[in-house]
Amino acid sequence: MKIDLNSDLGESFGPYSMGHDAEILQHVTSANIACGFHGGDPDVMEKTVSLAVAQGVAIGAHPGLPDLSGFGRRKIEIKPSEAYTMVVYQIGALAAFAHAHGVALQHVKPHGALYNMAAKDADLARAIAKAVHDVDAGLILFGLAGSQLIEQGKVVGLQTASEVFADRTYQSDGSLTPRSQPDAMVTDETESIARILRMVRDSVVRCQDGTDISVQADTICVHGDGVKALAFTERIHRALSAAGVEVTSFR
């Protein structure tokens, strides 16, 4: 049994520092690197790509809504055509840095509100998937397990990776509990690891209403900006290995 472990990185910008990128990269297999819209800037993109390459971590673009002050987590009404051009633009920016380091992008994973909107909106999801396909049909599209993003990625002919979350709770429709709700995050590490192992080995997750739903786990997201992010990521990697699960990127 194999699983990819990914983290959202490169989200610092200007004088603002976020996350523990260098340390997190020692324990994940795929890096979703911000492309300047919700976080990141050219200097940070260059540095993060360099760090990932040095660690042998697969690189992916992490395009978001143009909302630095809201960190891309505020819903902004956009047309599918706007989503298409935003995603093409951001993939292109990161791909240039990857090319400069002699590597290719592995995947694309939308960020924040864009990710959650595309999980339910088929037209928006199809526009994002088409943008990825038109830039490079060999890229893997990461999306919430069971979401429209995964469905539309398959429709346009992309390889997809169904993503589950180490530190988020789920609703009975398979969506993530909104961050505006107090129970959105799983803060107990032991509970989180037990949930991860169940998602990976048994393909089920316990929802907030107490029911279990089926979920496909191809890649696990660990957020790298939490206070205990580094220790948590190390613990998850060890727990998966101890359970006989190989932690590896898709490439």
Side-chain angles (χ1 to χ4, degrees):
M1 186 174 289
K2 298 181 180 181
I3 194 76
D4 176 59
L5 189 59
N6 78 74
S7 189
D8 303 341
L9 303 173
E11 294 177 318
S12 302
F13 60 95
Y16 303 102
S17 179
M18 296 186 63
H20 311 275
D21 292 4
E23 296 81 7
I24 294 290
L25 280 165
Q26 298 176 41
H27 304 286
V28 298
T29 50
S30 293
N32 320 309
I33 301 178
C35 305
F37 273 37
H38 75 276
D41 62 31
D43 288 338
V44 172
M45 292 166 73
E46 157 65 23
K47 179 181 178 181
T48 311
V49 168
S50 178
L51 288 169
V53 170
Q55 290 291 340
V57 174
I59 296 169
H62 196 37
L65 294 172
D67 181 25
L68 278 176
S69 61
F71 195 58
R73 288 178 176 164
R74 298 184 293 193
K75 184 177 180 180
I76 299 174
E77 295 295 337
I78 58 172
K79 299 175 183 177
S81 59
E82 293 173 312
Y84 176 91
T85 53
M86 286 179 191
V87 172
V88 168
Y89 182 97
Q90 292 177 79
I91 296 172
L94 190 68
F97 285 106
H99 179 76
H101 282 272
V103 298
L105 298 185
Q106 170 191 252
H107 68 279
V108 175
K109 173 190 167 181
H111 166 81
L114 183 62
Y115 181 97
N116 291 321
M117 290 158 61
K120 296 182 177 181
D121 186 326
D123 291 336
L124 186 63
R126 191 177 305 112
I128 292 171
K130 188 174 186 305
V132 175
H133 185 275
D134 289 354
V135 171
D136 182 351
L139 289 168
I140 302 167
L141 180 61
F142 283 20
L144 182 66
S147 69
Q148 281 293 329
L149 198 54
I150 294 295
E151 179 64 25
Q152 297 305 320
K154 293 176 180 177
V155 167
V156 303
L158 289 171
Q159 181 181 346
T160 62
S162 294
E163 183 177 43
V164 296
F165 285 78
D167 55 1
R168 296 291 302 275
T169 62
Y170 284 76
Q171 298 298 299
S172 58
D173 63 354
S175 64
L176 300 176
T177 304
R179 285 179 177 268
S180 58
Q181 297 186 19
D183 59 349
M185 307 299 296
V186 180
T187 56
D188 183 278
E189 292 182 8
T190 301
E191 177 190 352
S192 178
I193 289 171
R195 289 165 63 91
I196 290 167
L197 292 175
R198 197 159 179 248
M199 286 190 281
V200 172
R201 295 187 301 193
D202 303 328
S203 300
V204 294
V205 64
R206 178 64 50 87
C207 300
Q208 288 304 86
D209 65 1
T211 61
D212 286 342
I213 60 170
S214 297
V215 63
Q216 180 175 336
D218 298 323
T219 183
I220 302 167
C221 178
V222 183
H223 289 105
D225 56 350
V227 176
K228 299 180 180 179
L230 176 57
F232 186 33
T233 306
E234 289 180 295
R235 234 187 123 180
I236 291 171
H237 198 142
R238 287 198 306 268
L240 288 165
S241 297
V245 180
E246 181 183 354
V247 182
T248 181
S249 70
F250 295 95
R251 293 182 178 169

